[in-house]
Amino acid sequence: MARRYDPERRRRIIDAAIRVVATNGIGGLSHRTVAAEADVPLGSTTYHFASLDELMVAALRRTNEGFGAAVRDSGALGDPGADVAEELARLMGEWLAGERTGVELEYELYLAALRRPALRPVAAEWCEGLAEILARRTDPVTARALVALMDGICLQVLLTDTPYEAEYAREMLGRIIERGVSDDGPATGT
């Protein structure tokens, strides 16, 4: 049965691309594999996404919504009396303890930017967006350092298959925050 109007088709194609990458890796992504996964004609994928890079950009944007949204929506980060390092360590722990395939998928798409320049602005958007959220509680330089540390900790956990150490993360995040406070004057909440 042909579909005349399908306002969700673009979203279904993006979701299908994410599933293909989760199952087969970036190397398994093609318009054909995505069309089959989304159960749409091949022409639909090329209509909505002229290139695989465009499709990967859309998929990366979708996957980036996870951790950044958790940080943005964290009530504790909005509380001036909350321990920012503790809250960030908790959020990372929850994220890493979630569905491992989803976390690995986010990083696979994120790291694909190393070889696909079209993805670099999206990876940078994620870093900048998270730093903007954190700069509300620290300062811009400290926020960027926090993002880099969180990225590094998450990558180490994923790549070395070692357990996430919340206390270590809290301690290191706290050191960066304290250093930012001592260098730049008081920031709200540590």
Side-chain angles (χ1 to χ4, degrees), residues 135-174:
R136 297 176 199 151
R137 290 298 307 275
T138 62
D139 62 87
V141 173
T142 301
R144 285 179 48 215
L146 291 170
V147 171
L149 176 61
M150 289 186 298
D151 240 358
I153 289 172
C154 290
L155 276 171
Q156 285 178 3
V157 167
L158 293 171
L159 295 175
T160 63
D161 206 25
T162 56
Y164 172 69
E165 297 177 42
E167 186 52 38
Y168 168 78
R170 194 210 61 71
E171 173 70 22
M172 294 301 103
L173 292 162

Side-chain angles (χ1 to χ4, degrees), residues 20-54:
V20 167
V21 172
T23 303
N24 304 318
I26 296 285
L29 187 70
S30 70
H31 281 288
R32 190 171 305 285
T33 59
V34 171
E37 179 67 27
D39 193 25
V40 299
L42 179 60
S44 286
T45 63
T46 57
Y47 172 79
H48 288 286
F49 303 98
S51 70
L52 281 180
D53 281 349
E54 283 182 28

Side-chain angles (χ1 to χ4, degrees), residues 24-95:
N24 304 318
I26 296 285
L29 187 70
S30 70
H31 281 288
R32 190 171 305 285
T33 59
V34 171
E37 179 67 27
D39 193 25
V40 299
L42 179 60
S44 286
T45 63
T46 57
Y47 172 79
H48 288 286
F49 303 98
S51 70
L52 281 180
D53 281 349
E54 283 182 28
L55 181 55
M56 288 177 66
V57 163
L60 182 56
R61 280 204 170 102
R62 174 74 52 76
T63 60
N64 280 350
E65 295 169 0
F67 185 72
V71 172
R72 183 187 62 242
D73 297 341
S74 169
L77 289 179
D79 175 2
D83 182 334
V84 174
E86 180 70 34
E87 180 63 4
L88 291 174
R90 182 187 69 76
L91 290 169
M92 280 195 310
E94 286 178 2
W95 186 66

